[in-house]
Amino acid sequence: MKRDDDMLREILFEFEEQKDWLVAVLSSLGMSEERRMKLGHVNLLCDAGMVTEVGDQTFRLTNSGHDYLDAIRNDTIWNKTKSGAAEVGGMTLQMMKDLALSYVKQEVAAKLGVTL
C-alpha cells in the first residue's frame, strides 16, 4: 500500500468531527478494499503519533494530530505543502508537518506582522 497524504488528512478531519473523543474502527475482516486502505492509514497515523489506539480498535486523535490538522486545515497551505513535497520527490510525514507549519508561520507574519 502506498501512503496517500490526502487520505491521511481526510481521516484526521473525520476524527476531529466526531462528537466523542473515541473513534471505533472496525476489523479489516470482510471490509472493502477502500476501508482496508483507510484502516492502514489510521495505523500510519498511529505510527506517526497523530492518532493513538486506546482500546481494541478504538482510537483517539492526539495533540500532535490536532496540531498537524490545524497546520493543514487551510486548503492553500495544504496544497503548498503537497506541492513542496512533490517538488523534492517526497517527504516524511514529520517533514510535511514541519513544512506546513513553516507556511502557517509565513501567513502569520504576512497577516499579523509578527514573526514566530
Side-chain angles (χ1 to χ4, degrees):
M1 172 186 83
K2 185 174 179 178
R3 187 178 75 192
D4 180 336
D5 294 315
D6 287 312
M7 182 175 282
L8 294 173
R9 182 178 186 239
E10 177 184 309
I11 291 168
L12 290 172
F13 277 123
E14 287 177 15
F15 271 57
E16 182 187 52
E17 289 172 7
Q18 299 298 313
K19 292 184 189 222
D20 195 348
W21 62 278
L22 296 172
V23 179
V25 178
L26 300 176
S27 164
S28 62
L29 295 175
M31 277 188 183
S32 67
E33 183 178 333
E34 181 181 340
R35 290 287 299 159
R36 286 179 54 79
M37 182 174 244
K38 194 171 201 176
L39 179 58
H41 280 72
V42 168
N43 287 319
L44 290 174
L45 288 168
C46 284
D47 294 343
M50 295 183 187
V51 168
T52 190
E53 190 168 9
V54 294
D56 187 32
Q57 297 184 5
T58 304
F59 301 85
R60 72 170 180 85
L61 193 57
T62 65
N63 191 57
S64 178
H66 279 286
D67 288 348
Y68 182 52
L69 184 55
D70 283 341
I72 61 172
R73 182 177 309 283
N74 177 288
D75 288 336
T76 301
I77 298 289
W78 176 239
N79 289 327
K80 284 182 179 181
T81 302
K82 287 194 319 180
S83 178
E87 192 171 320
V88 297
M91 290 184 177
T92 68
L93 192 53
Q94 183 60 50
M95 289 172 66
M96 288 188 69
K97 181 179 178 183
D98 293 343
L99 182 59
L101 289 170
S102 294
Y103 286 130
V104 169
K105 288 178 181 182
Q106 284 180 348
E107 289 244 341
V108 168
K111 290 182 179 179
L112 302 179
V114 295
T115 303
L116 299 177

